[in-house]
């Protein structure tokens, strides 16, 4: 009992601190499990080719990226698919090149654009992650809300990412406190798994909170751990995992990122890097095509991913394989090869697939969507329990 009393207080205050953020994160998580499908439904101009099904004259992603940059010298395409699904537009990520007059990147007003693969015409643009409920921005807005709460950056620090990472740490600790409190003794363990459906009111609310949390406890713990991994990978998770397992070098961690005003200009083209990646993939015996290529001007690195045109999200297993190359001399800079490396490497590879449910494909995404609703429900029922007890204490105080 001595331990139980302080743990009850901790659970109460942890719950109050987390409730709003987990409620929002849970609801948004339930939605963004289907972000690609919903985004395409809301914004056909960004996903469906105006020219219809692909036909003779269809360009691949590399050709289209080169054309986009030729049409607007202010921008650089920093991610594109190399092959497109039939009937789909080419949706690319872009960034502003340096403006010679100001020495700063051009303010484009957008960081994504869609191009018709046959005509090469621009079909639409948007600023991914903008605080906006406009049709084209809704899904990116919800996605970023999920892991940053749209808390603005300050002095180069992603405060929202850090904040939600800290929320994940507190949630992780509270998972164990809640489990301990749910089983006060051996005689009452059945109550912690039961729901008094006929009682309704506060008793049912209590059961939904306690028993509901017990039934999905392991899944809640997985979500808490992967939340930390997603938001604080280099600050918390990699150093922690490294204490138990050797980790393969990370191509990005070994380089110092450059500010936007001093981008590392590549000397190799996307085409040259994709050719290097294909040669390396053949050497390794890979059969999947080079499906996408990105360039990080902050690190001077190219990345080439291997996947079919309809699987750029990496459904099933630990995701897609990526190879990295230096943007100036083309030297290999490592990669991420799912299922290979140390136990720690594989653990880290599993974090996003577990968090998104994509590790088991469609069933996993359905499960994670349901878990998002469960997290929101647990947050709401916990707050209701606290309000009811607080009201009872106030009434008792007034009566005295």
């Amino acid at each position: 009992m001595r331990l139980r009393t302080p743990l009850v207080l901790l659970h109460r205050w942890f719950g109050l601190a987390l409730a709003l953020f987990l409620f929002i994160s849970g609801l948004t998580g339930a939605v963004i499990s289907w972000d690609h499908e919903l985004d395409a439904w809301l914004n056909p101009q960004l996903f469906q080719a105006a020219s219809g099904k692909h036909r003779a004259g269809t360009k691949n992603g590399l050709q289209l990226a080169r054309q986009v940059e030729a049409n607007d010298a202010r921008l650089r395409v920093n991610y594109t698919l190399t092959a497109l699904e039939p009937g789909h537009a080419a949706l690319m990520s872009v960034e502003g090149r340096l403006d010679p007059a100001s020495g700063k990147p051009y303010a484009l007003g957008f960081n994504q654009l869609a191009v018709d693969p046959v005509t090469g015409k621009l079909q639409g643009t948007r600023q991914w992650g903008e605080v906006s409920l406009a049709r084209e921005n809704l899904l990116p807005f919800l996605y970023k809300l999920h892991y940053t709460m749209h808390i603005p950056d300050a002095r180069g620090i992603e405060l929202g990412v850090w904040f939600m990472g800290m929320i994940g740490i507190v949630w992780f600790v509270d998972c164990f406190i809640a489990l301990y409190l749910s089983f006060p003794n051996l005689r009452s363990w059945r109550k912690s798994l039961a729901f008094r459906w006929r009682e309704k009111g506060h008793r049912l609310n209590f059961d939904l909170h306690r028993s509901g949390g017990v039934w999905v406890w392991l899944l809640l713990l997985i979500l808490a751990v992967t939340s930390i991994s997603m938001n604080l990978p280099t600050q918390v998770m990699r150093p922690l995992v490294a204490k138990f397992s050797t980790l393969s070098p990370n191509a990005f961690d070994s380089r110092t990122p450059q500010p936007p005003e001093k981008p590392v200009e590549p000397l190799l083209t996307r085409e040259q890097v994709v050719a290097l990646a294909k040669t390396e993939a053949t050497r390794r015996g890979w059969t999947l095509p080079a499906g996408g290529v990105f360039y990080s001007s902050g690190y001077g690195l190219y990345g080439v991913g291997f996947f079919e045109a309809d699987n750029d999200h990496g459904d099933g297993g630990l995701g897609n394989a990526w190879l990295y190359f230096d943007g100036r001399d083309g030297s290999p800079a490592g990669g991420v090869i799912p299922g290979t490396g140390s136990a720690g490497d594989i653990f880290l590879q599993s974090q996003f697939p577990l968090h998104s449910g994509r590790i088991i494909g469609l069933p996993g995404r359905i499960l994670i969507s349901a878990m998002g609703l469960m997290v929101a429900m647990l947050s709401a029922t916990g707050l209701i329990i606290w309000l009811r007890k607080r009201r009872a204490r106030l009434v008792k105080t007034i009566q005295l």
Side-chain angles (χ1 to χ4, degrees):
M1 291 297 291
R2 289 181 180 178
L3 180 61
R4 186 174 180 81
T5 299
L7 288 181
V8 167
L9 289 174
L10 271 179
H11 182 60
R12 178 186 303 164
W13 293 113
F14 280 172
L16 288 174
L18 299 175
L20 175 62
F21 306 109
L22 289 186
F23 182 81
I24 295 172
S25 195
L27 289 182
T28 54
V31 174
I32 65 174
S33 291
W34 315 99
D35 63 323
H36 187 71
E37 293 84 354
L38 292 172
D39 206 6
W41 174 65
L42 285 171
N43 302 291
Q45 78 281 6
L46 296 176
F47 291 87
Q48 300 302 317
S51 58
K53 291 289 184 181
H54 294 189
R55 58 180 186 268
T58 297
K59 302 178 181 66
N60 63 40
L62 297 176
Q63 293 170 317
L64 291 167
R66 191 165 59 248
Q67 181 176 330
V68 165
E69 291 175 338
N71 291 339
D72 190 343
R74 300 176 306 153
L75 62 80
R76 182 202 330 268
V77 174
N78 53 24
Y79 178 71
T80 183
L81 297 174
T82 57
L84 307 174
E85 294 180 68
H88 282 226
L91 185 62
M92 305 175 184
S93 296
V94 299
E95 64 183 4
R97 293 183 183 273
L98 284 186
D99 179 355
S102 66
K104 296 182 179 181
Y106 284 105
L108 301 175
F110 57 88
N111 55 19
Q112 280 190 335
L113 55 78
V115 181
D116 186 284
V118 175
T119 65
K121 291 183 178 179
L122 186 66
Q123 292 191 181
T125 63
R126 70 177 174 189
Q127 183 72 26
W128 194 97
E130 185 177 8
V131 180
S132 168
L133 296 179
R135 192 183 183 93
E136 66 272 14
N137 296 323
L138 180 58
L139 264 298
F141 167 79
L142 293 177
Y143 199 103
K144 193 171 181 180
L145 179 66
H146 177 73
Y147 70 94
T148 71
M149 293 292 133
H150 283 288
I151 298 172
D153 299 348
R155 297 184 178 181
I157 300 174
E158 296 178 307
L159 295 181
V161 173
W162 271 86
F163 177 75
M164 290 305 290
M166 298 302 294
I167 290 290
I169 293 173
V170 177
W171 187 18
F172 171 78
V173 173
D174 196 45
C175 280
F176 289 96
I177 295 175
L179 185 66
Y180 177 86
L181 297 177
S182 296
F183 293 95
N185 53 61
L186 293 176
R187 292 173 298 177
S188 61
W189 69 269
R190 292 179 182 273
K191 293 182 180 179
S192 297
L193 296 172
F195 298 93
R196 290 169 287 185
W197 297 109
R198 295 182 180 180
E199 297 286 346
K200 299 182 179 180
H202 69 271
R203 291 182 179 177
L204 177 58
N205 183 81
F206 181 81
D207 289 346
L208 287 172
H209 185 74
R210 180 189 62 181
S211 303
V214 169
W215 277 105
V216 298
W217 184 84
L218 183 59
L219 293 173
L220 292 173
L221 184 66
I222 289 173
L223 287 177
V225 171
T226 54
S227 295
I228 301 170
S229 296
M230 294 293 95
N231 282 54
L232 301 173
T234 58
Q235 300 89 345
V236 175
M237 195 53 69
R238 281 187 67 89
L240 184 61
V241 174
K243 293 183 179 296
F244 302 94
S245 173
T246 302
L247 296 179
S248 299
N250 183 296
F252 291 89
D253 289 346
S254 63
R255 299 186 176 215
T256 302
Q258 298 300 305
E261 296 79 15
K262 296 181 180 180
V264 180
E265 292 295 334
L267 298 181
L268 275 68
T269 65
R270 281 180 291 268
E271 288 81 0
Q272 290 173 314
V273 170
V274 169
L276 289 173
K278 287 180 176 179
T279 299
E280 177 61 20
T282 300
R283 187 187 70 81
R284 294 170 181 250
W286 295 357
T287 57
L288 287 172
V293 56
F294 74 79
Y295 180 69
S296 172
S297 59
Y299 289 88
L301 283 175
Y302 275 109
V304 180
F306 291 81
F307 46 84
E308 299 290 352
D310 61 349
N311 194 31
D312 54 311
H313 285 69
D315 282 351
L318 297 177
N320 299 323
W322 287 84
L323 295 176
Y324 304 134
F325 299 88
D326 187 279
R328 297 185 71 80
D329 61 21
S331 58
V336 177
I337 318 302
T340 65
S342 67
D345 289 331
I346 295 174
F347 173 80
L348 293 177
Q349 292 166 15
S350 71
Q351 296 306 284
F352 176 75
L354 282 171
H355 192 78
S356 63
R358 294 180 182 274
I359 194 167
I360 55 174
L362 181 60
R365 295 171 65 192
I366 294 172
L367 177 62
I368 290 300
S369 189
M371 282 303 301
L373 297 177
M374 177 65 75
V375 169
M377 183 275 288
L378 292 172
S379 300
T381 52
L383 184 59
I384 291 171
I385 290 171
W386 176 77
L387 288 172
R388 180 177 176 276
K389 289 185 176 181
R390 182 174 182 273
R391 190 183 305 115
R393 287 194 297 270
L394 289 174
V395 170
K396 185 176 181 180
T397 301
I398 293 173
Q399 290 176 343
L400 292 177

